[in-house]
Amino acid sequence: GKLVILEADRNVEFQAPYGKHYKVRIPTFGRSLVYEPSSCELYVTSSSGDVYKINLEEGRFEEPLNERRNDVPGTTCCEISPTHRMLGVGGEDGILRFYDTRTASTTNNSLTSAFTSLDIATATSSYGFSDTTARDVTSLAFEDNGVMMAVGTSN
């Protein structure tokens, strides 16, 4: 087994029982990471809005999930649904975006855009939250059955 560490200097370091195994530098500062075991891929959210995808089986970067083109100021957190392999990515704009990691676009065999999204401020306004301004999505967790999730915000 190995341990993955997201470092403040834009490095992703892989540790093994004998010490440092490998280190790779990502283009912008990372904020969180999640491992998807069935495809052996590591997803890293970043301050630029990109979600970097590292295929650990092949040892290379895949095309990032590029949210920069959708004017997302930055991605803050990510999590994989244990049941559906759906990737949830929280953004600084208060929007939670979902990607189906089982599918790929036909252009270059990678998924690059969200199939659906959820505006957290709008979704919670009917539950007594009167502040409907955009909040950073700071954390995300899926229940083991994959049906329910919890979302943390900056407010």
Side-chain angles (χ1 to χ4, degrees), residues 3 11-12 24 27 33-34 39 47-48 51 57 63 65 81 106 130 139 148:
L3 174 70
N11 285 316
V12 177
V24 64
L33 51 82
V34 66
S39 63
S47 57
S48 69
V51 179
E57 189 173 45
E63 182 180 352
L65 310 180
S81 168
T106 56
S130 58
S139 61
M148 294 197 290

mmCIF file of all heavy atoms in Angstrom, residues 3 11-12 24 27 33-34 39 47-48 51 57 63 65 81 106 130 139 148:
data_model
loop_
_atom_site.group_PDB
_atom_site.id
_atom_site.type_symbol
_atom_site.label_atom_id
_atom_site.label_comp_id
_atom_site.label_asym_id
_atom_site.label_seq_id
_atom_site.Cartn_x
_atom_site.Cartn_y
_atom_site.Cartn_z
ATOM 1 N N LEU A 3 0.677 5.778 0.437
ATOM 2 C CA LEU A 3 0.004 6.944 0.997
ATOM 3 C C LEU A 3 0.258 8.105 0.050
ATOM 4 O O LEU A 3 1.386 8.287 -0.429
ATOM 5 C CB LEU A 3 0.569 7.240 2.388
ATOM 6 C CG LEU A 3 0.107 8.501 3.084
ATOM 7 C CD1 LEU A 3 -1.348 8.353 3.507
ATOM 8 C CD2 LEU A 3 0.977 8.761 4.298
ATOM 9 N N ASN A 11 3.135 19.900 -5.038
ATOM 10 C CA ASN A 11 3.577 18.530 -5.265
ATOM 11 C C ASN A 11 2.566 17.533 -4.711
ATOM 12 O O ASN A 11 1.924 17.793 -3.696
ATOM 13 C CB ASN A 11 4.934 18.276 -4.609
ATOM 14 C CG ASN A 11 6.058 18.905 -5.385
ATOM 15 O OD1 ASN A 11 6.101 18.824 -6.607
ATOM 16 N ND2 ASN A 11 6.977 19.541 -4.691
ATOM 17 N N VAL A 12 2.451 16.407 -5.389
ATOM 18 C CA VAL A 12 1.713 15.259 -4.896
ATOM 19 C C VAL A 12 2.766 14.188 -4.671
ATOM 20 O O VAL A 12 3.445 13.774 -5.606
ATOM 21 C CB VAL A 12 0.642 14.788 -5.906
ATOM 22 C CG1 VAL A 12 -0.061 13.544 -5.397
ATOM 23 C CG2 VAL A 12 -0.366 15.896 -6.184
ATOM 24 N N VAL A 24 5.234 14.123 -7.899
ATOM 25 C CA VAL A 24 4.840 14.750 -9.160
ATOM 26 C C VAL A 24 4.316 16.150 -8.843
ATOM 27 O O VAL A 24 3.682 16.363 -7.804
ATOM 28 C CB VAL A 24 3.784 13.892 -9.912
ATOM 29 C CG1 VAL A 24 2.500 13.775 -9.130
ATOM 30 C CG2 VAL A 24 3.511 14.454 -11.288
ATOM 31 N N PRO A 27 0.152 21.629 -12.008
ATOM 32 C CA PRO A 27 0.328 22.984 -12.551
ATOM 33 C C PRO A 27 -0.081 24.124 -11.617
ATOM 34 O O PRO A 27 0.520 25.191 -11.671
ATOM 35 C CB PRO A 27 -0.546 22.976 -13.807
ATOM 36 C CG PRO A 27 -0.646 21.546 -14.185
ATOM 37 C CD PRO A 27 -0.617 20.782 -12.904
ATOM 38 N N LEU A 33 -7.854 15.941 -2.562
ATOM 39 C CA LEU A 33 -7.683 14.835 -3.503
ATOM 40 C C LEU A 33 -8.540 13.665 -3.066
ATOM 41 O O LEU A 33 -8.925 13.547 -1.912
ATOM 42 C CB LEU A 33 -6.218 14.426 -3.637
ATOM 43 C CG LEU A 33 -5.378 14.129 -2.400
ATOM 44 C CD1 LEU A 33 -5.583 12.732 -1.893
ATOM 45 C CD2 LEU A 33 -3.921 14.330 -2.753
ATOM 46 N N VAL A 34 -8.848 12.819 -4.037
ATOM 47 C CA VAL A 34 -9.621 11.606 -3.773
ATOM 48 C C VAL A 34 -9.158 10.532 -4.753
ATOM 49 O O VAL A 34 -8.827 10.822 -5.903
ATOM 50 C CB VAL A 34 -11.147 11.862 -3.878
ATOM 51 C CG1 VAL A 34 -11.570 12.215 -5.292
ATOM 52 C CG2 VAL A 34 -11.941 10.692 -3.362
ATOM 53 N N SER A 39 -10.834 2.425 -11.050
ATOM 54 C CA SER A 39 -10.127 2.852 -12.261
ATOM 55 C C SER A 39 -8.682 3.239 -11.968
ATOM 56 O O SER A 39 -7.948 3.599 -12.890
ATOM 57 C CB SER A 39 -10.854 4.044 -12.899
ATOM 58 O OG SER A 39 -10.839 5.142 -12.015
ATOM 59 N N SER A 47 -6.764 25.454 -7.202
ATOM 60 C CA SER A 47 -7.158 26.850 -7.077
ATOM 61 C C SER A 47 -7.529 27.471 -8.418
ATOM 62 O O SER A 47 -8.185 28.502 -8.460
ATOM 63 C CB SER A 47 -6.017 27.651 -6.443
ATOM 64 O OG SER A 47 -4.845 27.522 -7.211
ATOM 65 N N SER A 48 -7.155 26.849 -9.515
ATOM 66 C CA SER A 48 -7.437 27.396 -10.846
ATOM 67 C C SER A 48 -8.830 27.041 -11.360
ATOM 68 O O SER A 48 -9.294 27.626 -12.320
ATOM 69 C CB SER A 48 -6.411 26.885 -11.849
ATOM 70 O OG SER A 48 -6.599 25.500 -12.072
ATOM 71 N N VAL A 51 -9.694 20.248 -12.274
ATOM 72 C CA VAL A 51 -9.577 19.051 -11.446
ATOM 73 C C VAL A 51 -8.614 18.140 -12.195
ATOM 74 O O VAL A 51 -8.925 17.638 -13.265
ATOM 75 C CB VAL A 51 -10.935 18.352 -11.229
ATOM 76 C CG1 VAL A 51 -10.758 17.106 -10.376
ATOM 77 C CG2 VAL A 51 -11.938 19.301 -10.587
ATOM 78 N N GLU A 57 -2.324 3.730 -12.742
ATOM 79 C CA GLU A 57 -1.970 2.477 -13.393
ATOM 80 C C GLU A 57 -0.992 2.722 -14.545
ATOM 81 O O GLU A 57 -0.027 1.988 -14.729
ATOM 82 C CB GLU A 57 -3.226 1.776 -13.897
ATOM 83 C CG GLU A 57 -3.000 0.376 -14.384
ATOM 84 C CD GLU A 57 -4.316 -0.314 -14.708
ATOM 85 O OE1 GLU A 57 -5.182 0.297 -15.363
ATOM 86 O OE2 GLU A 57 -4.462 -1.472 -14.286
ATOM 87 N N GLU A 63 -6.366 14.259 -19.278
ATOM 88 C CA GLU A 63 -6.879 15.609 -19.476
ATOM 89 C C GLU A 63 -7.654 16.032 -18.235
ATOM 90 O O GLU A 63 -8.497 15.283 -17.737
ATOM 91 C CB GLU A 63 -7.784 15.667 -20.707
ATOM 92 C CG GLU A 63 -8.294 17.052 -20.990
ATOM 93 C CD GLU A 63 -9.185 17.105 -22.217
ATOM 94 O OE1 GLU A 63 -9.284 16.109 -22.937
ATOM 95 O OE2 GLU A 63 -9.784 18.165 -22.424
ATOM 96 N N LEU A 65 -10.358 17.815 -15.708
ATOM 97 C CA LEU A 65 -11.747 18.246 -15.779
ATOM 98 C C LEU A 65 -11.666 19.757 -15.703
ATOM 99 O O LEU A 65 -11.394 20.319 -14.649
ATOM 100 C CB LEU A 65 -12.554 17.679 -14.615
ATOM 101 C CG LEU A 65 -12.430 16.178 -14.385
ATOM 102 C CD1 LEU A 65 -13.287 15.756 -13.207
ATOM 103 C CD2 LEU A 65 -12.834 15.414 -15.611
ATOM 104 N N SER A 81 -18.625 8.939 -4.908
ATOM 105 C CA SER A 81 -19.716 8.130 -4.359
ATOM 106 C C SER A 81 -19.281 6.666 -4.372
ATOM 107 O O SER A 81 -18.891 6.154 -5.424
ATOM 108 C CB SER A 81 -20.978 8.304 -5.201
ATOM 109 O OG SER A 81 -21.941 7.335 -4.855
ATOM 110 N N THR A 106 -16.131 11.049 -26.450
ATOM 111 C CA THR A 106 -15.595 10.326 -27.594
ATOM 112 C C THR A 106 -14.398 11.033 -28.207
ATOM 113 O O THR A 106 -13.708 10.465 -29.027
ATOM 114 C CB THR A 106 -16.686 10.168 -28.672
ATOM 115 O OG1 THR A 106 -17.178 11.472 -29.008
ATOM 116 C CG2 THR A 106 -17.801 9.295 -28.181
ATOM 117 N N SER A 130 -31.708 32.046 5.129
ATOM 118 C CA SER A 130 -32.133 33.257 4.433
ATOM 119 C C SER A 130 -31.030 33.853 3.567
ATOM 120 O O SER A 130 -31.291 34.598 2.638
ATOM 121 C CB SER A 130 -32.614 34.306 5.441
ATOM 122 O OG SER A 130 -31.574 34.596 6.359
ATOM 123 N N SER A 139 -16.599 21.218 1.960
ATOM 124 C CA SER A 139 -16.452 19.778 2.196
ATOM 125 C C SER A 139 -17.644 19.033 1.619
ATOM 126 O O SER A 139 -18.716 19.589 1.428
ATOM 127 C CB SER A 139 -16.317 19.485 3.694
ATOM 128 O OG SER A 139 -17.461 19.922 4.380
ATOM 129 N N MET A 148 -27.412 9.465 -0.269
ATOM 130 C CA MET A 148 -27.411 10.764 0.394
ATOM 131 C C MET A 148 -25.987 11.299 0.497
ATOM 132 O O MET A 148 -25.022 10.543 0.478
ATOM 133 C CB MET A 148 -28.041 10.653 1.768
ATOM 134 C CG MET A 148 -29.509 10.313 1.702
ATOM 135 S SD MET A 148 -30.412 10.626 3.207
ATOM 136 C CE MET A 148 -29.782 9.380 4.285
#
